[in-house]
Amino acid sequence: MKIQGRMFLWLSIFILAIAVLYGVWSKEPAGTTALFLAFGLCVMIGYYLAFTARRVDAMAQDNKEADVADEAGEVGFFSPHSWQPLSLAIGGALAFLSIAIGWWLLYFSAPVILAGLWGWVFEYYRGENQNQ
């Protein structure tokens, strides 16, 4: 994680230089503000990664002699299939469509969103995937 922290800190220095150059050259406040905010975000992420790197063990990417297989292992658990994101997408699409058509459409999209969210949270508590 030391490498990632350094990368973000170097990126923040580059973004700061570009923000100052852009602000002086263009005199446009919106883009200058966005670049300074991007600088702040890079500093926060870089500081967090550098701070965390001192507390965790060295990873394979921190060792210059490491192989690709040194970091191999279990990546995590991924759901094999789920229909719940589809219902959330349909409910979200209806909710955003309600801005264009009318707010009354939210009354139909809210139950679809809540049912999809409920099903996604509790999909491993019942059914065929109960013991995963």
Side-chain angles (χ1 to χ4, degrees), residues 47-93:
Y47 174 76
Y48 171 76
L49 289 173
F51 182 76
T52 307
R54 288 184 280 165
R55 295 176 179 241
V56 297
D57 295 332
M59 300 176 77
Q61 61 214 12
D62 294 326
N63 184 6
K64 292 183 180 182
E65 302 292 325
D67 292 329
V68 174
D70 291 342
E71 197 66 39
E74 184 177 336
V75 178
F77 172 74
F78 299 98
S79 181
H81 65 279
S82 178
W83 288 97
Q84 306 310 322
L86 181 64
S87 64
L88 284 172
I90 291 170

Side-chain angles (χ1 to χ4, degrees), residues 91-111 113:
L94 285 174
F96 281 108
L97 192 62
S98 71
I99 297 171
I101 294 178
W103 294 104
W104 56 269
L105 194 55
L106 276 176
Y107 293 117
F108 298 104
S109 64
I113 291 173

